[in-house]
Amino acid sequence: MTSRAGSSWPTDRVVLAAQQGDPRAIATLLDGSHAHVQRFARTLCSTPEDAEDATQEALIVLYRKIGTLRATAALASWMFQIVRNECIRRTRVTFHKPAHSPAVEPSAEDAALARLELERIVGCVAHLPAEQRAVLVLRDIQGLSGSATAQALGLSRAAMKSRLHRGRATLRSDLETPTPTPTPIRDADIEDAGAKDA
């Protein structure tokens, strides 16, 4: 599958034909989606190998389940969710594997922090309202131009800009909100608890 990185997502007509089982449309859909799905994976996965594997898995899901897609305009958001889930799954698997070369492996604390940060970023994007997420993904992650993004989603430039602005603001606010940290337990707290039990 070789799709030009700068091309747009497959047209609604291709998606509809693929949903109805047209083999030629399915091939066109997979080919036309490949570069975009790969770009999602490279953005979200922790290693190039995971990104490539996640790309293939996502395209397999697309092939098998295209008939379940409710709206043709939701293709990009749907694929983003599939890739996101696959990248998170692979990150979890990676961090649960035994270390083969401790000298180059990150510490357990660094690995946990990296995993949590990745999940936090991906989670914040995923929790945006669907219309904001779709614009943000196409414009900032896919790198489409403003006019191409508006056209892909069937929006006016003004509506696209408005949703993009709100999506960016919400994402920035969510990422700037500090993650709650547990209060450390002091020796005095343990002693107090022991005294109450006695």
Side-chain angles (χ1 to χ4, degrees), residues 25-41:
I26 292 171
T28 302
L29 175 67
L30 293 171
D31 186 57
S33 301
H34 182 267
H36 303 293
V37 172
Q38 190 174 54
R39 196 174 298 119
F40 284 157

Side-chain angles (χ1 to χ4, degrees), residues 80-198:
F80 177 83
Q81 290 290 341
I82 293 169
V83 172
R84 167 190 176 268
N85 292 339
E86 184 62 20
C87 287
I88 288 175
R89 187 187 72 78
R90 288 180 177 278
T91 298
R92 286 179 179 149
V93 168
T94 298
F95 284 114
H96 285 91
K97 282 181 183 175
H100 296 294
S101 51
V104 296
E105 291 288 326
S107 70
E109 183 180 0
D110 288 344
L113 289 173
R115 185 187 73 239
L116 290 172
E117 185 61 18
L118 172 66
E119 290 186 11
R120 184 168 178 250
I121 292 169
V122 171
C124 286
V125 172
H127 283 95
L128 288 171
E131 67 277 3
Q132 293 177 21
R133 183 175 63 245
V135 173
L136 188 81
V137 166
L138 291 178
R139 187 73 179 90
D140 290 347
I141 296 176
Q142 286 289 318
L144 294 184
S145 67
S147 57
T149 300
Q151 183 179 7
L153 296 173
L155 300 171
S156 67
R157 284 291 299 272
M160 184 279 298
K161 286 182 179 179
S162 175
R163 291 182 184 186
L164 180 62
H165 174 74
R166 289 198 305 271
R168 284 173 174 169
T170 302
L171 183 60
R172 189 178 306 115
S173 173
D174 289 348
L175 290 174
E176 286 173 356
T177 302
T179 305
T181 54
T183 305
I185 299 174
R186 301 172 301 159
D187 291 339
D189 296 331
I190 295 172
E191 290 170 7
D192 289 345
K196 286 176 185 173
D197 292 340

